[in-house]
Amino acid sequence: MDKIQLKLQGVSDIYGKENIGVLMLCNLSETLGISILCPKLIKDEVGGRMRKTNLHSLHAIDVLLIYVDRDMLKDHYVLFKSIHNGKYIAELACDDCGEITYDMLGEEAVILAMAAGIPMYITRDLMAKQATPLLHGTGAMALPYNALTEDMLLDVMNTAVEREQYEMASMIRNELNARERADIDQDMESL
């Protein structure tokens, strides 16, 4: 599988959304990045790990890693492989181990990679679909609509209508409709 290595670039808050944070990952050349929306608690956890300021407390992932031989994870990596309804899906993978992979949410994968000291990758296809250019000197990057949750999209769409930004509201409506069609198609396939 063709993949691109990622690194954690930073964490941020979303203005007006005090309970939501953003984890910003980028390629090693720091030209493209993805943004993972997550609960503020996870954003604060990742930020603390980046600054190495929360090492005094034992978190669940650290407790788990006490009982797992870290050498067992040396050939493993986190792979971001898809996005569904605004949530990145990743897996704990190993090319040479022949083991079963384990799916997890993107924000969980970031914490696991940090705690276990394993690299993070994204499939080349997903990077091409989701990545946005880094805005150098600002520490910011754009968020694609499909990386937002349905509730956030509705909020942004309503704000766009209030501000008479009808083209933006139309694009968001199209994203919401596409998600609804995908969910219906998935439900039909499961019958």
Side-chain angles (χ1 to χ4, degrees):
M1 173 179 297
D2 202 12
K3 57 189 187 269
I4 297 168
Q5 189 166 0
L6 297 173
K7 68 179 185 176
L8 184 62
Q9 183 192 35
V11 298
S12 180
D13 294 313
I14 294 181
Y15 179 74
K17 296 288 184 185
E18 59 277 343
N19 60 341
I20 298 174
V22 180
L23 309 179
M24 297 174 290
L25 305 176
C26 65
N27 60 359
L28 296 182
S29 60
E30 297 184 359
T31 56
L32 296 171
I34 62 169
S35 299
I36 300 173
L37 298 179
C38 64
K40 182 182 183 316
L41 182 66
I42 290 179
K43 189 260 322 176
D44 291 343
E45 169 74 17
V46 171
R49 286 180 182 275
M50 285 180 70
R51 293 183 305 278
K52 298 182 178 14
T53 58
N54 65 350
L55 298 178
H56 62 279
S57 60
L58 210 52
H59 299 277
I61 189 70
D62 300 307
V63 172
L64 175 64
L65 289 171
I66 290 171
Y67 296 100
V68 172
D69 182 4
R70 285 183 190 260
D71 285 341
M72 184 178 99
L73 294 175
K74 70 178 169 64
D75 295 324
H76 287 75
Y77 56 90
V78 164
L79 178 67
F80 293 88
K81 61 183 188 172
S82 64
I83 188 165
H84 182 69
N85 288 334
K87 288 292 195 177
Y88 280 94
I89 307 300
E91 67 182 9
L92 177 62
C94 177
D95 289 335
D96 300 326
C97 304
E99 295 180 6
I100 297 172
T101 61
Y102 300 95
D103 287 349
M104 64 194 87
L105 292 174
E107 60 266 28
E108 296 167 345
V110 171
I111 291 176
L112 175 61
M114 291 178 82
I118 58 176
M120 296 182 286
Y121 293 90
I122 187 169
T123 65
R124 187 167 298 281
D125 290 342
L126 186 58
M127 187 70 158
K129 178 181 173 186
Q130 292 300 120
T132 57
L134 295 184
L135 306 173
H136 288 286
T138 66
M141 67 179 74
L143 277 171
Y145 289 136
N146 69 348
L148 299 175
T149 65
E150 188 173 320
D151 289 340
M152 291 184 78
L153 283 171
L154 289 170
D155 284 347
V156 172
M157 184 175 70
N158 290 334
T159 301
V161 170
E162 288 170 12
R163 295 179 180 171
E164 298 181 4
Q165 297 171 332
Y166 301 117
E167 188 175 329
M168 178 186 284
S170 175
M171 288 188 291
I172 296 169
R173 184 200 65 231
N174 292 344
E175 173 65 23
L176 289 167
N177 289 340
R179 286 184 188 188
E180 186 175 327
R181 283 191 304 275
D183 286 344
I184 290 170
D185 290 347
Q186 190 174 18
D187 289 345
M188 296 300 287
E189 288 176 10
S190 65
L191 292 178

